[in-house]
Amino acid sequence: MERLTPREPPGHPHQREASACWRLTVRVLEARGLGWTDVLSEADPYVVLQMPTAPGIKFKTKTVTNSSHPVWNESFSFLIQRQVKNVLELSVYDEDSVTEDDACFKFLYDISEVLPGKLLRKTFSLRPQGQEELDVEFLMEKTSDRPENLITNNVLVARELSCLDIRLESMGSTAVVSNQENLELELVLKGSYEDTQTSALGTASAFCFHYMVAQEAELSGRLKSSKGNGWNSGSSAGHFTVPLKPLTMEKEMTIDIPATNAPGVRLQLKAKGCPEELAVRLGFDLCAEEKAFLSRRKQVVAKALKKALQLDRDLQEDEVPIVGIMATGGGARAMTSLYGHLLALKKLGLLDCVTYFSGISGATWTMAQLYGDPEWSQKDLEGPIRHAREHLAKSKLEAFSPERLASYRRELELRAEEGHPTTFVDLWALVLESMLHDQVMDQKLSGQRAALEQGQNPLPLYLSLNVKENNLETLDFKEWVEFSPYEVGFLKYGAFVPSELFGSEFFMGQLMKRLPESRICFLEGIWSNIFSLNLLDAWYDLTSSSDTWRQHIKDKIRNLEDPPASLKTSSWLEALWLQPGTALAQAFKGFLTGRLLYQHSSNFLQGLQLHQDYCNQKAFSTWADSQLDSTPGQLTPQEPQLCLVDAGYFLNTSYPSMFRPGRRLDLILSFDYSLSSPFEMLQQTEVYCRGLGLPFPHVEPSPQDQRQPKECHLFSDPTCPDAPVLLHFPLVNASFKDHSAPGVQRDPTELLAGQVDLTGATSPYSLFNMTYKEEDFDRLLQLSDYNVRKSQDAILQALRTVLKHQAPAARLPGAQS
């Protein structure tokens, strides 16, 4: 293998490699102990072989009838790339002439165990579950074809693509062409992005297929009547297959379609290379646009810190600490409280000290509204607050009026015509927009870049979870997906696309079909999708405590620290749900884990393959908290669509965004909007982060603080310099009930304004309440504003602490020479 560029450490941009392909020959020998029987006979077994990294290729042995000890001795070959994780799937079926063939068991085999040039015989066994065994031989040999060009970040691999252009030509007479107008040509290229395309004969037609250069692909075609008479009769007439390996790049090849009722019809085939640059960015580092933003923002932050802390000199760029806001979810309660917190920071002159601004669920409603104005943090917030107050106080029935429902239907139909999959969550997004704004807000995520051009605002970060649609609960499979005005991407895989391309269709990192960028309301529907809970999630929420959650996460992390059996043995059985006699269990599991209401988005990872060493990459394992991470065939690159839900289903926080390489924060302002357990989210985050090796301060509130939380709590870890200082602001009414402003005691006529009901049972701020009385909105806003202003000294002291760490030479007022 020839490496085109030096290997770069994790976190750096992707690397390019030229790597030869190999020929893997698999010989299925025999099976023993197949004890399952049909009604009238023993099993009629056959074996199916396929490999996700060799798409479109599936082999099947002959069927051996009435045998518990079938002998096949059949050989099959795959062209493989050893730089990717190749897992062979060996499925044994029992053929049935009446019903669907029974899937008896499936073995998954990591072929990295097969050494080049050495014959390896392997026996796959169901023991101790059963006595069934399957004998297979493997041989790996190098091919003489040219090396394949790869792009990789050591977790994902983009393989070289070819584009096959096809022109349909008709050379017959006018009468023949007229007759051909009743025929359609279907072309199929398995494993390609397009897979199947159809066009009527008698018209000028062009086709295009994108497929891997190293794929041993075949183009197949057949004719059918466009009048509904079915496929062209005859066993071979109108059917053809063309191997694509003999095609020479950039040279045309002509083939005639063998059909008597379509004489003179031919295809012109021409293969050409695809662009070398990817539309998907593979890399764990920050994008160039964010790095440029950081430089601009640090200039703003430096001036704000000099003023707030009364520094005697200007700070240099490398001395500026990174401060982030982390806002939890909580529906309209989170939206309202966040306005109050931001209002206080603005009054204190501290909002310009913040570089990152992250949130989930209801907090994103505030963020999306604010970033519609490129200068929002440089103005007072009265306008946005007045807008929120007005629309929270109004009746929500108008959002469900016949006129509004009709407008939702029209927009969803238009969205479908553009190519976006539409689900109930898209309807929820439109209803939410109507409730919060009472009009169509023509804003897009990429449009928020205008708010960052001069570094005039913090960088907003939104977070969601990608989960399994219908076979796992959220705790068992979850992947963080980050949204920013610059990019949308997976933290775990190090794969990102420009925000305006999210929702478009990709294959092997190349942009295949660009769709119009969604309005931001549809993203808010993702970020605050409260309808995707499956029954197992709901049952867990009802029956578990915070201690149960922590123990569950510790168990998951402990399991991740121990290599799974699949990695120890290189071969393993797929889930036992595939074993005979478990159809009822399979259906019941699907009932428990299915998500009826979720958001579908095109998967921009589609086609990309996992690197052979992906599991050992620190950048991947930092986020690897899924039991499927050692099973590449079940990870997201193999999925046609993403299933995105509210991040609060797992952890009501956006902390993962704060721990990306290049984004290490010095101080985090944590705004928690839960009505109970004011430290639970923080303690869960500590368990999660520490279990994955991420620096995080110890969260150990005193018994007194547990009983009576204060407006602000400081957590830090002096023994761990990489851990951020944490200022935590729970939603509490500690002294606001007695004070109209910090240090200003309420007189008896003002006491009612300090009564903010934050109890779960009677509070007007419950999660599902979307309509507030104006006085309730005002009280919650003022409470949040007060709690931050009351904590001014704590915030300034925390800023001094992190500044001393970043800039020890900076002179602070009162410091000695």
Side-chain angles (χ1 to χ4, degrees):
M1 181 188 72
E2 178 187 357
R3 197 177 300 279
L4 299 183
T5 57
R7 187 179 182 88
E8 296 175 292
H12 282 248
H14 64 247
Q15 61 198 41
R16 296 177 181 273
E17 300 178 0
S19 179
C21 290
W22 294 73
R23 174 74 57 188
L24 174 69
T25 301
V26 183
R27 186 173 182 83
V28 182
L29 300 174
E30 61 181 309
R32 293 176 298 279
L34 306 186
W36 9 279
T37 62
D38 295 328
V39 176
L40 301 176
S41 66
E42 292 189 78
D44 303 317
Y46 64 89
V47 182
V48 171
L49 303 84
Q50 58 185 343
M51 195 179 297
T53 49
I57 307 297
K58 180 184 286 189
F59 297 113
K60 174 182 176 297
T61 67
K62 64 179 180 289
T63 299
V64 180
T65 59
N66 197 24
S67 175
S68 61
H69 185 175
V71 177
W72 291 285
N73 282 328
E74 294 184 63
S75 296
F76 310 93
S77 70
F78 297 89
L79 191 64
I80 66 167
Q81 174 57 252
R82 295 189 70 202
Q83 288 298 94
V84 304
K85 177 66 74 173
N86 295 291
V87 176
L88 177 66
E89 299 177 0
L90 293 159
S91 303
V92 180
Y93 288 85
D94 179 16
E95 188 174 275
D96 197 311
S97 58
V98 179
T99 62
E100 185 177 351
D101 295 351
D102 295 322
C104 302
F105 51 86
K106 177 192 286 188
F107 291 106
L108 305 177
Y109 179 53
D110 181 354
I111 66 165
S112 60
E113 190 180 71
V114 182
L115 300 178
K118 294 187 177 181
L119 187 68
L120 173 67
R121 179 165 177 149
K122 185 86 175 175
T123 297
F124 299 95
S125 174
L126 282 182
R127 295 190 178 99
Q129 291 94 337
Q131 301 302 309
E132 297 91 340
E133 292 183 332
L134 177 67
D135 292 340
V136 184
E137 284 184 349
F138 300 91
L139 180 63
M140 183 87 68
E141 300 170 294
K142 196 169 186 177
T143 67
S144 59
D145 295 340
R146 72 170 180 85
E148 183 183 6
N149 294 319
L150 309 177
I151 298 177
T152 180
N153 63 355
N154 295 324
V155 170
L156 292 177
V157 178
R159 300 182 62 179
E160 190 174 352
L161 281 186
S162 180
C163 177
L164 179 64
D165 284 335
I166 304 173
R167 293 199 319 273
L168 177 64
E169 296 182 351
S170 181
M171 311 301 291
S173 65
T174 303
V176 172
V177 171
S178 177
N179 181 57
Q180 292 173 3
E181 291 177 355
N182 296 328
L183 297 175
E184 288 182 345
L185 174 66
E186 180 188 75
L187 296 179
V188 179
L189 180 51
K190 291 297 183 184
S192 69
Y193 163 73
E194 293 81 4
D195 190 83
T196 302
Q197 298 186 65
T198 304
S199 180
L201 296 188
T203 59
S205 300
F207 303 84
C208 182
F209 290 92
H210 295 82
Y211 64 101
M212 287 195 318
V213 170
Q215 177 182 345
E216 293 188 312
E218 289 185 339
L219 176 71
S220 61
R222 53 180 177 174
L223 295 175
K224 69 174 183 177
S225 170
S226 60
K227 291 186 175 181
N229 295 329
W231 292 106
N232 194 44
S233 60
S235 59
S236 61
H239 294 236
F240 61 91
T241 301
V242 182
L244 299 184
K245 189 172 183 180
L247 279 178
T248 303
M249 285 289 181
E250 301 295 342
K251 289 190 176 181
E252 283 195 349
M253 181 175 76
T254 303
I255 65 167
D256 295 319
I257 296 179
T260 56
N261 58 345
V265 177
R266 60 179 54 176
L267 298 178
Q268 296 281 353
L269 278 61
K270 183 178 181 180
K272 58 184 181 181
C274 289
E276 292 185 0
E277 294 302 320
L278 302 181
V280 175
R281 184 176 71 86
L282 297 182
F284 290 90
D285 59 335
L286 304 180
C287 66
E289 294 86 350
E290 182 172 339
K291 292 177 181 177
F293 161 80
L294 285 176
S295 181
R296 298 190 299 267
R297 184 62 181 174
K298 284 186 176 183
Q299 297 175 30
V300 176
V301 173
K303 292 179 182 178
L305 285 173
K306 183 180 180 182
K307 181 178 180 180
L309 300 181
Q310 302 176 38
L311 304 180
D312 63 355
R313 68 171 176 86
D314 294 334
L315 294 174
Q316 300 300 309
E317 185 173 312
D318 61 352
E319 296 178 318
V320 177
I322 303 297
V323 179
I325 288 174
M326 198 295 302
T328 70
R333 178 178 69 244
M335 180 183 74
T336 306
S337 300
L338 182 53
Y339 275 122
H341 286 142
L342 296 174
L343 180 63
L345 291 175
K346 178 67 178 175
K347 291 176 181 177
L348 297 175
L350 298 177
L351 191 52
D352 279 345
C353 298
V354 176
T355 298
Y356 288 105
F357 183 4
S358 70
I360 65 168
S361 198
T364 67
W365 303 347
T366 297
M367 297 168 67
Q369 170 68 11
L370 289 175
Y371 280 88
D373 180 353
E375 304 295 331
W376 72 266
S377 70
Q378 306 308 309
K379 303 176 180 178
D380 67 56
L381 299 180
E382 294 306 321
I385 290 174
R386 187 168 54 251
H387 178 91
R389 183 178 189 265
E390 174 187 344
H391 288 87
L392 271 187
K394 73 183 181 184
S395 169
K396 302 303 181 292
L397 292 179
E398 176 63 23
F400 302 95
S401 69
E403 295 78 10
R404 287 291 170 84
L405 294 175
S407 70
Y408 304 154
R409 179 177 179 178
R410 287 193 298 271
E411 179 152 7
L412 293 178
E413 289 173 347
L414 176 61
R415 186 169 169 81
E417 290 173 3
E418 293 174 343
H420 291 284
T422 56
T423 68
F424 175 85
V425 176
D426 296 302
L427 175 60
W428 154 246
L430 294 173
V431 172
L432 182 64
E433 180 183 52
S434 178
M435 291 191 293
L436 295 179
H437 306 292
D438 205 25
Q439 61 178 328
V440 172
M441 305 296 288
D442 192 18
Q443 299 175 12
K444 298 180 174 65
L445 182 59
S446 64
Q448 294 184 1
R449 293 172 189 165
L452 309 172
E453 289 177 349
Q454 307 302 321
Q456 68 269 40
N457 298 294
L459 176 64
L461 300 171
Y462 311 87
L463 207 61
S464 178
L465 283 178
N466 180 57
V467 297
K468 285 293 183 183
E469 178 180 322
N470 56 11
N471 62 358
L472 285 175
E473 60 181 311
T474 304
L475 284 170
D476 286 330
F477 184 89
K478 60 224 170 271
E479 298 174 333
W480 301 102
V481 181
E482 179 183 279
F483 295 75
S484 86
Y486 297 126
E487 290 187 316
V488 177
F490 281 88
L491 305 185
K492 171 174 161 179
Y493 300 106
F496 302 85
V497 295
S499 56
E500 64 268 27
L501 295 183
F502 176 72
S504 294
E505 297 180 12
F506 293 79
F507 183 67
M508 199 62 76
Q510 302 277 359
L511 178 62
M512 296 287 111
K513 182 180 180 182
R514 181 165 186 164
L515 303 183
E517 183 180 359
S518 295
R519 294 194 296 110
I520 201 166
C521 80
F522 291 108
L523 300 184
E524 290 181 89
I526 295 173
W527 303 330
S528 58
N529 176 10
I530 60 176
F531 301 105
S532 299
L533 209 65
N534 62 34
L535 290 183
L536 280 184
D537 289 335
W539 177 255
Y540 186 86
D541 286 344
L542 288 172
T543 60
S544 66
S545 64
S546 59
D547 290 338
T548 307
W549 191 98
R550 286 195 287 270
Q551 187 58 49
H552 183 97
I553 296 304
K554 288 178 180 178
D555 291 343
K556 293 291 182 187
I557 293 168
R558 191 178 301 116
N559 291 338
L560 289 169
E561 291 171 349
D562 298 330
S566 60
L567 294 182
K568 295 176 183 176
T569 64
S570 78
S571 66
W572 62 99
L573 270 172
E574 200 176 53
L576 293 179
W577 300 99
L578 285 180
Q579 299 308 308
T582 61
L584 180 60
Q586 174 94 26
F588 185 63
K589 183 186 181 188
F591 171 73
L592 290 176
T593 60
R595 301 175 192 272
L596 298 178
L597 305 174
Y598 50 87
Q599 209 279 347
H600 265 164
S601 295
S602 295
N603 181 12
F604 55 87
L605 302 186
Q606 190 170 3
L608 293 169
Q609 299 183 355
L610 287 154
H611 191 275
Q612 61 175 344
D613 200 32
Y614 75 97
C615 259
N616 295 322
Q617 300 302 317
K618 183 180 186 301
F620 174 86
S621 58
T622 296
W623 305 106
D625 51 358
S626 161
Q627 66 180 23
L628 298 182
D629 283 331
S630 60
T631 312
Q634 296 189 58
L635 292 181
T636 301
Q638 292 294 320
E639 300 286 350
Q641 292 181 313
L642 306 178
C643 182
L644 299 173
V645 302
D646 191 321
Y649 281 132
F650 169 58
L651 193 61
N652 188 22
T653 177
S654 54
Y655 275 106
S657 283
M658 303 299 190
F659 289 98
R660 279 190 59 190
R663 203 187 276 166
R664 187 184 70 82
L665 273 74
D666 301 291
L667 172 62
I668 295 177
L669 306 180
S670 169
F671 296 137
D672 189 337
Y673 304 126
S674 61
L675 289 181
S676 60
S677 305
F679 302 101
E680 181 180 63
M681 177 277 296
L682 215 54
Q683 291 169 328
Q684 290 176 345
T685 302
E686 181 193 353
V687 170
Y688 176 69
C689 290
R690 287 186 174 273
L692 296 177
L694 301 173
F696 200 85
H698 288 292
V699 180
E700 297 178 354
S702 67
Q704 173 65 20
D705 287 339
Q706 289 276 21
R707 290 191 301 271
Q708 294 181 329
K710 300 187 294 288
E711 291 87 355
C712 178
H713 297 263
L714 171 69
F715 300 101
S716 63
D717 187 352
T719 66
C720 180
D722 289 333
V725 174
L726 188 63
L727 281 180
H728 185 59
F729 298 83
L731 190 58
V732 296
N733 188 356
S735 60
F736 176 73
K737 59 181 179 293
D738 301 319
H739 294 77
S740 58
V744 180
Q745 193 82 19
R746 291 185 187 275
D747 63 44
T749 62
E750 297 176 323
L751 290 178
L752 183 61
Q755 302 306 307
V756 185
D757 185 0
L758 298 177
T759 59
T762 61
S763 173
Y765 310 114
S766 63
L767 179 63
F768 294 102
N769 184 20
M770 290 292 293
T771 305
Y772 288 1
K773 296 179 180 178
E774 291 182 348
E775 56 267 30
D776 289 332
F777 178 91
D778 292 341
R779 287 172 184 168
L780 184 58
L781 180 83
Q782 292 161 9
L783 168 68
S784 302
D785 173 28
Y786 170 89
N787 284 353
V788 169
R789 289 190 291 121
K790 171 76 161 49
S791 309
Q792 179 181 9
D793 290 344
I795 300 173
L796 292 176
Q797 183 56 46
L799 287 171
R800 293 188 186 99
T801 299
V802 297
L803 182 61
K804 287 179 181 178
H805 180 71
Q806 287 293 108
R811 290 282 302 278
L812 297 171
Q816 296 181 357
S817 301

